[in-house]
Structures are given as C-alpha cells and as structure tokens.
Amino acid sequence: MVASAYTLSAKVLICGANGQVGHALAELLEKAPGIEAVPMSRRQLDITSTDAVYKQLEKHLPDYVINCAGFNRVDAAERQPDQAMAVNRDGPALLAAACAALSIPLIHLSSDYVFDGHYASGYSEDDEPAPLGVFGRSKWEGEEQIRQHQPQHLILRVSWIFSARGHNYLLRILEQARQQAVIDAADDRRGCPTSADDVARVLLAMLRQLTCGIDVWGTYHYCGAEITTRYGFSEAILAAVRQYEELKVESLRAVATADMHPLVERPASSVLKCRKLLSTFGIRQRPWRSELQRVIPDIYGE
Ligand SMILES: NC(=O)c1ccc[n+]([C@@H]2O[C@H](COP(=O)([O-])OP(=O)(O)OC[C@H]3O[C@@H](n4cnc5c(N)ncnc54)[C@H](OP(=O)(O)O)[C@@H]3O)[C@@H](O)[C@H]2O)c1
C-alpha cells in the first residue's frame, strides 16, 4: 500500500488513559493507521513515581508521550494541596525530565484555570496566567516545569471537558435532573464546552504534523466552538437528554457561581482563543452542540 502524506508511524504512550481524554485518545489512536498506542492507567504508570516513569518509558521507548493524567477536583485541591501539586506539578516535571533524558517529545494537557477569568472576550496563549486557587496554580506550575525540563513539548490548554464517562458537568446535570425538580446553574460563568473525543481528534492532528519535522513546540489553546454559560450548557444538555428519557427536573434556576462554589473562586471567563492552533496546525474548532448530540447516545449505549 502506498502511504499517504498523512500516514503516521509512531508509538504513543498515554498517561492517565482511564480518564475522559485519555480513554478517548486511546480509542482513537488504536484505530489510527500506523500508530501503536500504549495506554497506561494510573495503576500501570503513576506519574508521581520516578521508578514507574523510567521503567515504563525505558520499556516501551515511545516516540511520543501524551500526559492526560491530572488531579482535576477544584475544591478538593484546596483541601489536599499536596496531592494536587504532586499530580499536576511534580508528575509533569518528572515526565518532562524523563522524556528529555530519553529524547522523547512530551505532549501535555493544561487548563483554562491558569487564568483568572477577567477577560470576557477570552484568553490567548500570550496572556499572562494568574490562577485563582490551588488547582489553577498546580496546572500553571506543571506547565512551567515542562517548559524548563523538556523544550520539545506541546502544552494544549483545554476547557469544560465532557464525555459519556467519568466525572464531568454533563453527567452531573443528568444525575441531578433524574432526582431534583429544580437544578441550579451558574449564569455568570462563560466558557466553551469541549468533548473529550474532540480533544483526542486535536491531539491526533497535532501528532500528525509533528512527524513532518516542523518546529511547532509550545503552548496552544483549544475549546469547542460557541461561547455559552453553565446555564446555557445545562439547557442544551437537558434538551438533548429529554429525547432519551423522562426527567424529574422541571426548571433550571440561574445562580451566581460564588453561591454554588464558596470554597474557591472559579474564572468568570474560561473562553480560550484558538487562533494559534488554526494558524500553526490548521485545526478548526468543532461546535460543542454537535459533539453533545454525538455523546448523549453513548450514555444510553446507542
Ligand atoms: N475535565 C475538565 O473539564 C478539564 C478542563 C481543563 C483541562 N483539563 C485537563 O485535561 C486533562 C484530562 O482531563 P480529564 O477530564 O480527561 O481528566 P480525568 O477524567 O479526571 O482523568 C484523569 C486521569 O488521571 C489519572 N491520574 C490521577 N493521578 C494520576 C497519577 N498520579 N498518575 C497517573 N494517572 C493519574 C486518573 O486516574 P484514576 O482514574 O485512577 O483517578 C484519571 O484516570 C487533565 O490534565 C486536566 O487537568 C480538564
């Protein structure tokens, strides 16, 4: 068979492969021609363990490592700062140092929470990070560790991830909609929901271009197309889910984020500008509404 210009030949090790993005990425890469995916759960590769990191990287000698592992519980990070820092800062530092030692490029996922959320119009890669709490700080410091240890890196900041598995806003709203007549949803937080499958698509597209040997290392933003609020996202979720089951919920109540999450401030704007990803890689944003229509049937096993 004649290889197309986009045929990729690479072994890709995925950390955190049981998470939303890690799982979606493993599924996608396993179907991608020319790619050998090596998905690693936390049990197989704890990114905070020096022994485990070197053992697995030296055993598999991948062409790329993609780190999808993370401590993502924002309130829990305030109560367990050491654990959050260990997974989100020290783990990436360790991975970056090991990757540099073995000449393996590292691709890492970060978050809109590195910003304070004051720019309603959104954040570009040049904007100054100013995290509001432990979680955001741990993600920012993890990024900095990677920049320091492994110049051959891609950091992809993403936001508001949803999928049919794991812990996410979509599944939380669905759970509440089955049990409560009224659901609270913040109408003062803006962002762009992003499906885990869509992030996996973007990571694969980036990987393909890395193999062309062009110098594209650095930090990029990606999120689904169309800005909404938590309230707007909740409305869309309920409308989509009602096609599949009868729900107890009768109405959504618009509330302030601060009333829902008193422990730690959330960014009012999580909007990420994605122009750099488009101009460098030619990757366009996909509308989150169409992704939602695709993900909901997965919840019902269709
Ligand atoms: N979720 C969002 O809305 C969101 C938004 C912005 C950025 N991000 C970033 O995107 C990335 C992927 O997010 P996600 O939603 O897919 O995360 P997720 O569903 O919470 O999955 C994270 C995975 O990391 C694993 N993990 C935790 N500690 C680990 C360790 N020490 N070593 C190895 N694996 C470990 C977890 O294992 P267990 O299953 O055993 O717990 C879990 O499978 C993360 O970097 C996250 O910060 C997420």
Side-chain angles (χ1 to χ4, degrees):
M1 198 171 83
V2 179
S4 82
Y6 289 109
T7 299
L8 172 66
S9 173
K11 188 195 261 196
V12 183
L13 186 143
I14 304 165
C15 307
N18 275 353
Q20 298 190 80
V21 175
H23 178 78
L25 183 65
E27 278 201 329
L28 184 67
L29 296 193
E30 272 157 15
K31 287 183 288 193
I35 295 200
E36 183 187 344
V38 184
M40 294 269 139
S41 65
R42 183 214 294 244
R43 197 177 46 76
Q44 291 166 302
L45 171 46
D46 178 343
I47 62 165
T48 65
S49 156
T50 308
D51 281 355
V53 166
Y54 279 91
K55 187 176 145 208
Q56 293 293 4
L57 293 198
E58 283 168 355
K59 177 177 168 194
H60 294 286
L61 285 177
D63 298 298
Y64 300 97
V65 169
I66 303 185
N67 180 31
C68 299
F71 183 111
N72 292 320
R73 289 168 295 133
V74 176
D75 284 338
E78 297 294 316
R79 292 186 289 263
Q80 304 165 298
D82 292 350
Q83 283 98 319
M85 286 293 176
V87 180
N88 292 343
R89 178 194 60 199
D90 304 340
L94 182 51
L95 277 177
C99 283
L102 297 165
S103 301
I104 304 167
L106 174 63
I107 301 170
H108 174 74
L109 290 169
S110 189
S111 166
D112 52 293
Y113 272 63
V114 301
F115 299 115
D116 60 17
H118 294 164
Y119 290 176
S121 62
Y123 287 86
S124 78
E125 293 80 354
D126 294 331
D127 287 319
E128 200 58 40
L132 295 171
V134 172
F135 171 74
R137 224 165 30 246
S138 69
K139 294 300 289 184
W140 168 239
E141 290 180 15
E143 290 188 8
E144 287 287 82
Q145 289 293 322
I146 290 173
R147 292 186 187 102
Q148 191 180 322
H149 290 294
Q150 171 52 308
Q152 290 199 323
H153 67 259
L154 291 176
I155 294 170
L156 183 67
R157 293 185 185 134
V158 293
S159 67
W160 291 21
I161 308 274
F162 65 92
S163 69
R165 54 179 281 130
H167 301 281
N168 62 62
Y169 190 76
L170 159 61
L171 296 181
R172 250 190 336 269
I173 288 292
L174 176 55
E175 197 54 36
Q176 289 179 16
R178 286 172 174 155
Q179 292 169 13
Q180 300 169 207
V182 180
I183 299 177
D184 290 346
D187 64 349
D188 58 354
R189 267 173 82 197
R190 288 154 49 84
C192 300
T194 314
S195 85
D197 288 338
D198 197 19
V199 177
R201 167 188 75 91
V202 169
L203 290 169
L204 174 57
M206 293 174 95
L207 261 183
R208 284 197 166 119
Q209 303 217 11
L210 282 182
T211 57
C212 300
I214 44 173
D215 185 359
V216 289
W217 307 117
T219 302
Y220 296 87
H221 288 176
Y222 184 75
C223 58
E226 194 195 320
I227 299 170
T228 187
T229 59
R230 285 299 214 197
Y231 187 95
F233 188 32
S234 306
E235 275 184 322
I237 291 168
L238 294 182
V241 164
R242 278 205 173 95
Q243 297 165 20
Y244 290 85
E245 66 174 293
E246 264 186 46
L247 299 169
K248 181 165 179 187
V249 68
E250 289 162 10
S251 61
L252 280 172
R253 180 168 54 203
V255 293
T257 302
D259 293 337
M260 294 188 76
H261 303 288
L263 189 61
V264 58
E265 196 183 340
R266 266 70 172 161
S269 169
S270 282
V271 178
L272 297 172
K273 292 179 179 163
C274 307
R275 278 196 288 272
K276 185 178 169 194
L277 195 72
L278 177 62
S279 61
T280 309
F281 289 96
I283 298 171
R284 287 181 192 283
Q285 290 171 275
R286 209 175 248 184
W288 60 262
R289 286 183 192 276
S290 55
E291 286 295 290
L292 184 64
Q293 292 300 334
R294 219 184 33 70
V295 167
I296 298 283
D298 280 354
I299 296 174
Y300 296 92
E302 291 185 9

